[in-house]
Amino acid sequence: MLSRLAQKLWGKFETPQECAKFVRLAAIFAFTIGVYWIINPTKDPVFLHTVGLDYLPYAKIFSLMIMVPAILLYSRLVDAFPRHRVFYALCVFYALVSCVFGVCMMSPTIGLANTTLSKWRFLGWAWYAFIESFGSIIVALFWSFAADTSTPDSAKRGFSIIALGAQFGGVFAPLAFYGAAEKWGPIPFAFIGAGGMLCIAALVFYFMKVTPKSELAGFHTEIKTAGYRKPHTGYFEGLRLIASSSYLIGIVGVVTLYEVVGTIIEFHLKTLAKMNYGSINALNSFFFKSAIFANGTALLCLLFGVGAIGRTLGLLRTLLLLPTLVLLGTALLTFNFNLSIALLVFVLMRGLNY
């Protein structure tokens, strides 16, 4: 049934099995993004109630420092082992570590019951970096896995289904737990997230079991058949490639400028949220709500054909649209510095960035 619905929405695939494959991949990615948006709203309440607001800007820097060796290790794993086996290993690893964090949060001394703020409260730093690494590494691993099991022509037909699955996961996962977020606080979501991570591994296992081998042949299979041998690449091959192309440097510049502005807006949002919500449970609920709004906006853009904007305005005007909206939103927040306006600007920036 899902395959027939997908063909009505995105056109005909070469085979029903090809369509079913992308529906399964969309389910895996929906679960991946859903798990991320179940644990992601908890990272700021935990950090703010252990380390404190003054050190929140440094949390991003700390997580970036952790990501560098984590990505190097991830690169070695995907070079040495098949993608689906790396999926199993990393999902189990993240699930176990998430449970450890949940137990630590329950501790009366190092956990959330201790309300003393200190830059030495390692729990807040570690939980923040842990969630950031999950969102980066597992998502990158999924796209690597999807690319390895899809030819370029097949990807053109099916990757939009995967994108839609991601947006559904980003909306409905936090929506399902929004009502309980204020009652439960952050601790149960560490264990819920761990269960979700194991489910991701189970979905990948199911995908590999039921998908025909003919549908698992991707671009790498094609070039191996043609006699092409993959050249050896080092850890810093990506940086070298970026530096060699003005086009890629331009993309880095655009993304970096947007992320800088977005991070500043997000910091103001978190500052105002901390000022307005005293308890950790209320703050937890607020960040669940902001996740629902931001991902819901992106989902609406996808469902109602955001691509039509590009066709109507043209490439140049479309590229200028988001910076213009960001500029207007920043000006609005400057003259109306309150939580409601900050949330509105944040939601529009994150949602429309899609």
Side-chain angles (χ1 to χ4, degrees), residues 1-339:
M1 184 180 69
L2 290 177
S3 297
R4 290 196 297 269
L5 177 61
Q7 291 191 39
K8 290 182 179 179
L9 292 174
W10 289 284
K12 292 202 176 285
F13 291 82
E14 288 189 347
T15 64
Q17 290 80 10
E18 181 189 34
C19 180
K21 179 188 78 171
F22 284 112
V23 172
R24 296 186 195 109
L25 285 172
I28 296 172
F29 202 34
F31 230 90
T32 302
I33 299 300
V35 169
Y36 173 73
W37 282 109
I38 286 174
I39 60 176
N40 183 65
T42 68
K43 75 175 190 287
D44 291 303
V46 171
F47 187 90
L48 293 173
H49 280 75
T50 54
V51 182
L53 181 62
D54 293 341
Y55 294 95
L56 188 58
Y58 300 103
K60 285 283 186 181
I61 300 174
F62 175 74
S63 63
L64 180 62
M65 294 171 60
I66 296 297
M67 283 301 300
V68 173
I71 290 176
L72 293 179
L73 177 60
Y74 159 78
S75 300
R76 178 59 63 89
L77 288 174
V78 295
D79 283 341
F81 302 100
R83 300 292 194 271
H84 63 283
R85 292 183 181 176
V86 178
F87 241 125
Y88 304 150
L90 287 182
C91 286
V92 171
F93 168 77
Y94 273 103
L96 292 175
V97 175
S98 187
C99 288
V100 172
F101 274 114
V103 173
C104 291
M105 291 180 199
M106 297 168 63
S107 169
T109 53
I110 66 173
L112 301 184
N114 181 359
T115 58
T116 302
L117 300 180
S118 172
K119 63 181 179 181
W120 304 111
R121 298 287 300 276
F122 181 72
L123 177 64
W125 296 99
W127 181 240
Y128 195 103
F130 171 78
I131 294 175
E132 291 280 301
S133 71
F134 177 84
S136 299
I137 290 178
I138 299 299
V139 170
L141 176 59
F142 171 82
W143 282 117
S144 178
F145 176 70
D148 273 359
T149 55
S150 305
T151 63
D153 289 338
S154 179
K156 292 177 184 178
R157 293 187 290 269
F159 274 20
S160 58
I161 300 178
I162 298 175
L164 182 60
Q167 297 307 323
F168 271 109
V171 173
F172 290 106
L175 185 63
F177 292 100
Y178 171 65
E182 187 168 1
K183 297 178 183 177
W184 296 352
I187 297 176
F189 293 104
F191 298 103
I192 294 172
M197 294 166 192
L198 295 178
C199 289
I200 295 171
L203 286 173
V204 175
F205 177 80
Y206 174 77
F207 174 86
M208 296 300 298
K209 186 177 180 63
V210 302
T211 304
K213 288 186 177 181
S214 60
E215 294 298 335
L216 297 177
F219 176 71
H220 292 293
T221 303
E222 288 187 347
I223 60 177
K224 285 180 181 178
T225 303
Y228 175 80
R229 297 186 65 182
K230 181 181 177 181
H232 175 73
T233 57
Y235 285 134
F236 302 102
E237 181 66 19
L239 292 176
R240 187 202 64 78
L241 181 61
I242 291 173
S244 67
S245 170
S246 58
Y247 173 72
L248 295 179
I249 293 174
I251 292 177
V252 171
V254 170
V255 173
T256 301
L257 288 174
Y258 169 80
E259 289 297 331
V260 168
V261 176
T263 300
I264 294 172
I265 296 295
E266 187 175 358
F267 174 72
H268 286 311
L269 173 68
K270 294 173 182 179
T271 301
L272 291 168
K274 175 62 176 173
M275 294 168 57
N276 282 267
Y277 297 98
S279 71
I280 188 172
N281 287 20
L283 199 58
N284 192 52
S285 178
F286 171 79
F287 285 116
F288 265 85
K289 179 172 68 175
S290 64
I292 294 169
F293 286 164
N295 291 321
T297 302
L299 177 60
L300 291 175
C301 289
L302 183 60
L303 289 176
F304 291 100
V306 71
I309 297 176
R311 291 190 294 270
T312 302
L313 298 180
L315 178 61
L316 179 60
R317 291 177 181 175
T318 303
L319 290 175
L320 293 175
L321 181 60
L322 182 61
T324 303
L325 293 175
V326 170
L327 178 62
L328 293 175
T330 305
L332 179 63
L333 182 60
T334 301
F335 294 104
N336 298 275
F337 194 69
N338 61 70
L339 182 59

